[in-house]
Amino acid sequence: MELKKSLKLELLGIFLLNVFVVSMAATEPIPSINWVLKETKYTRLCSSKKILTVNGLFPGPTLYVRKGDRLIVNVQNQGKYNVTIHWHGVKQPRNPWSDGPEYVTQCPIRPGANFSYEIIFSTEEGTLWWHAHSDWTRATVHGPIIVYPEIGTTYPFPKPHAEFPIVLSSWFKGDVMEIIQSALEGGGETNKSDALTINGQPGDLYNCSKNGTFNILVNYGKRYLLRVINSIMNEEVFFAVAHHNFTVVGTDGAYIKPIKTNYIFITPGQTMDILMTADKSPSHYYMAARAYEGVVYDNTTATAIVKYIGNYTAPSTPAFPSNLPNYTDIDAVTSFTNRIKALASKEYPIDVPQKVDTRLFITISVGSIPCPNDSCDGPNGSRLAASLNNVSFEEPAVDLLQAYYRQIEGIFTTDFPSVPPYFFNFTADEMPDNVLIPSTGTKVKVLEFNSSVEIVFQGTNVLSAAENHPMHLHGFSFYHVGSGFGNFDNSTDPKGYNLVDPPEINTVGVPKNGWATIRFRADNPGVWFMHCHLERHSSWGMDMAFIVKNGSTRSTSLYFASFYFSVLLSLSQL
């Protein structure tokens, strides 16, 4: 039997290889790069430890592409944990096979194994990022993606003299995988990070960090493009440079109407393109990132230094951005986010669905599940469990994409609810008991190809004080058409929707004790994950998945070549 099975697999591999070679023969070779995941020793905050890295780098290497490119990234896992890689904000048209979230679109890459991702860029332009999508490995496995305009085109703003990727991250003194595994086993809160970092460095406001503080060098009068990425695990942040003003020109791989401001607010998962002119007296100026309020948050401040080139006496301490909002300043959050609107020009048009085929009203909650003898570390001896529409996502035994494509029974159900099981005062100080305990399951929502979809995300005050929730959808950009505070009113709030120039993004911040509405067209067939980008919430089950059906033609159906490639790679690991 084992020999027969082996022969069948070998023949299947030969067959699929032939199909793959034939399918690729008519196209030009796709550029490829090689990445090695490995444990690398790093020293931060007066202590050293080994962290999982790509090619030994923290943050990881930057991908440079142009709009519409394709790229193969060969990943060899020499680390000690299972890992997958997600290309955050890349729509991957018809190609969920390379999207990355473990047990959603693929099984993880085991230690010692390899996997090759085919990354298909389409309409994205600007700054995106990539990161690990297995447990908490993304704490150290992440990096920028820079998508330049197509050859022969340029930016819709003045060309910068130079550009700097600015990657905001978290640093934990302990092993991040042990931290989340221990928390999940006990059912309680996770440890907060010990520092925030800018391009891998905490900055000189922390112990043992001054020598490593990240610096950027600027020339007086020159314009610079800061490509800011929030890869922080559990904190949304304010970001500013002392005495300097910003012009925000893009977010999440799309251009926006320029916003003049002296700070930004950016959630985990989001990216922002910012123009900054070096027009102040030559000196040293702090660049700073400070967390916005959350139930568990790292309220320290990461810094880097903007240093002018030239002859002058450097100050003993750089100027600090006095305009950086306080960590509880909800008005600063609202004021900034409400100004973000799509460029929506002739050269950069948008297509906001004006009519809706499928409506979902999704409540976002952190509740708890009782434990035997109140033996867990959560509230009253329970286990913390996050949910969408009172369903806490359970990771399947077989990845959803394979189960869907191969019609494997018993892996998931298609009954993710379009509305919550209970309607109540979602933002009240006290909650009814029946909303505290979510159900558990692997539930998906099936969407017809090319249907227009509206989702109202409703924050709730279940169990604990409400937080902002950065909700990220794989496989799509969507339009953020409205948001507000309190309970969503279906009769009045839609009247205030922006259906003219809403921002086209992939991660939306649902306001604390409020709601946010998005719209998109389900024109990308496959299985696509949706989750909160606060990592502890996602670990507790604040996740779900969409299945988007194939269209009626080959060009509107799943990209089969990638499936064959994926199967071959999986067979090679047997």
Side-chain angles (χ1 to χ4, degrees):
M1 285 296 292
E2 287 300 316
L3 178 61
K4 184 181 291 187
K5 179 180 179 182
S6 176
L7 288 172
K8 284 182 177 179
L9 288 175
E10 184 176 352
L11 289 172
L12 177 61
I14 293 171
F15 169 73
L16 292 180
L17 178 60
N18 287 328
V19 173
F20 178 72
V21 170
V22 169
S23 69
M24 299 301 289
T27 65
E28 294 183 3
I30 302 174
S32 65
I33 61 174
N34 297 314
W35 282 1
V36 177
L37 284 158
K38 60 182 179 180
E39 298 288 329
T40 307
K41 186 178 180 180
Y42 270 76
T43 300
R44 297 287 185 272
L45 306 180
C46 316
S47 62
S48 298
K49 68 171 185 173
K50 285 190 174 182
I51 63 172
L52 189 63
T53 65
V54 169
N55 297 350
L57 301 175
F58 169 68
T62 301
L63 292 181
Y64 296 96
V65 299
R66 288 194 179 272
K67 182 179 179 181
D69 278 355
R70 289 192 179 202
L71 182 67
I72 299 291
V73 178
N74 304 306
V75 178
Q76 181 180 4
N77 186 4
Q78 294 182 1
K80 58 183 180 180
Y81 298 111
N82 290 343
V83 180
T84 62
I85 305 292
H86 168 55
W87 318 96
H88 188 113
V90 182
K91 299 181 186 71
Q92 293 276 33
R94 305 169 48 223
N95 188 33
W97 310 106
S98 285
D99 187 51
E102 68 173 356
Y103 296 111
V104 177
T105 62
Q106 70 172 106
C107 292
I109 309 168
R110 299 191 306 271
N114 308 298
F115 191 86
S116 292
Y117 292 90
E118 181 180 8
I119 312 170
I120 303 176
F121 295 88
S122 54
T123 61
E124 308 89 356
E125 189 172 328
T127 304
L128 299 171
W129 64 301
W130 59 268
H131 61 83
H133 216 301
S134 307
D135 295 314
W136 277 26
T137 49
R138 84 165 176 88
T140 57
V141 180
H142 57 255
I145 301 175
I146 310 301
V147 185
Y148 291 113
E150 295 175 290
I151 294 175
T153 65
T154 188
Y155 303 115
F157 50 79
K159 186 177 180 180
H161 173 72
E163 61 181 49
F164 299 98
I166 304 295
V167 182
L168 310 177
S169 307
S170 306
W171 184 265
F172 296 79
K173 286 186 176 181
D175 185 301
V176 290
M177 295 294 280
E178 291 177 2
I179 288 172
I180 184 57
Q181 288 169 5
S182 176
L184 292 177
E185 288 172 4
E189 266 286 7
T190 61
N191 292 349
K192 67 180 182 180
S193 58
D194 295 289
L196 305 180
T197 62
I198 298 177
N199 285 1
Q201 295 288 347
D204 55 19
L205 301 186
Y206 296 88
N207 292 333
C208 307
S209 299
K210 185 172 184 177
N211 291 338
T213 297
F214 178 74
N215 301 313
I216 64 172
L217 301 179
V218 299
N219 281 297
Y220 179 82
K222 300 295 184 180
R223 183 186 299 109
Y224 296 89
L225 178 60
L226 307 182
R227 298 180 177 273
V228 183
I229 299 164
N230 187 347
S231 67
I232 295 171
M233 296 293 280
N234 292 303
E235 286 85 25
E236 302 163 306
V237 296
F238 296 110
F239 174 86
V241 174
H243 302 323
H244 288 71
N245 293 321
F246 295 154
T247 302
V248 186
V249 293
T251 182
D252 283 7
Y255 297 121
I256 65 172
K257 290 180 171 65
I259 298 173
K260 294 187 180 300
T261 180
N262 57 15
Y263 73 93
I264 65 167
F265 173 74
I266 183 167
T267 72
Q270 289 182 332
T271 66
M272 290 188 184
D273 294 324
I274 301 169
L275 293 177
M276 184 188 78
T277 301
D279 56 2
K280 303 306 176 187
S281 299
S283 187
H284 292 182
Y285 299 89
Y286 271 134
M287 171 188 296
R290 172 189 290 159
Y292 174 58
E293 181 182 28
V295 175
V296 173
Y297 62 93
D298 179 347
N299 64 353
T300 56
T301 301
T303 57
I305 303 175
V306 176
K307 295 183 177 180
Y308 278 68
I309 297 171
N311 295 319
Y312 58 88
T313 302
S316 57
T317 301
F320 189 84
S322 59
N323 53 289
L324 192 69
N326 184 272
Y327 74 92
T328 59
D329 194 342
I330 193 170
D331 291 335
V333 173
T334 306
S335 174
F336 177 76
T337 55
N338 284 351
R339 297 174 63 192
I340 301 175
K341 300 181 187 302
L343 188 56
S345 65
K346 181 180 178 181
E347 294 77 14
Y348 300 94
I350 60 174
D351 182 21
V352 187
Q354 302 295 307
K355 296 182 180 179
V356 175
D357 299 316
T358 301
R359 297 181 188 275
L360 291 91
F361 184 85
I362 298 180
T363 51
I364 305 173
S365 304
V366 176
S368 63
I369 295 174
C371 292
N373 302 316
D374 300 330
S375 56
C376 293
D377 297 334
N380 301 315
S382 66
R383 174 181 299 279
L384 287 167
S387 64
L388 298 174
N389 272 355
N390 216 48
V391 179
S392 188
F393 184 80
E394 286 189 330
E395 193 174 82
V398 175
D399 66 273
L400 296 177
L401 181 58
Q402 292 282 357
Y404 167 63
Y405 182 76
R406 298 171 60 190
Q407 299 181 346
I408 302 173
E409 298 290 336
I411 303 301
F412 64 87
T413 60
T414 58
D415 57 345
F416 181 84
S418 297
V419 295
Y422 312 103
F423 279 81
F424 52 94
N425 183 356
F426 300 113
T427 56
D429 292 334
E430 295 185 5
M431 296 283 127
D433 292 340
N434 61 349
V435 303
L436 298 178
I437 303 174
S439 63
T440 59
T442 308
K443 299 177 183 290
V444 305
K445 180 70 176 180
V446 178
L447 300 175
E448 296 295 327
F449 179 79
N450 211 36
S451 59
S452 56
V453 182
E454 177 181 289
I455 303 176
V456 177
F457 294 109
Q458 174 67 62
T460 72
N461 211 12
V462 172
L463 187 64
S464 60
E467 298 177 71
N468 272 33
H469 295 280
M471 297 302 300
H472 172 54
L473 174 60
H474 293 220
F476 297 90
S477 290
F478 49 74
Y479 297 101
H480 179 200
V481 300
S483 58
F485 292 101
N487 299 320
F488 177 78
D489 189 315
N490 194 46
S491 61
T492 60
D493 285 329
K495 295 176 181 178
Y497 285 172
N498 175 10
L499 301 179
V500 177
D501 58 357
E504 185 179 4
I505 56 180
N506 60 63
T507 305
V508 64
V510 181
K512 176 180 177 180
N513 274 324
W515 56 271
T517 302
I518 66 170
R519 287 187 180 183
F520 65 97
R521 194 170 301 283
D523 55 3
N524 193 6
V527 177
W528 304 105
F529 202 34
M530 187 174 77
H531 60 97
C532 180
H533 229 281
L534 299 181
E535 206 64 25
R536 64 194 224 283
H537 288 176
S538 183
S539 297
W540 294 338
M542 197 175 282
D543 323 291
M544 60 86 66
F546 289 104
I547 290 178
V548 179
K549 292 182 178 180
N550 282 338
S552 58
T553 66
R554 177 179 295 181
S555 63
T556 58
S557 300
L558 277 173
Y559 179 44
F560 296 123
S562 279
F563 168 65
Y564 299 143
F565 195 29
S566 176
V567 170
L568 280 176
L569 290 164
S570 297
L571 289 172
S572 70
Q573 297 181 37
L574 293 177

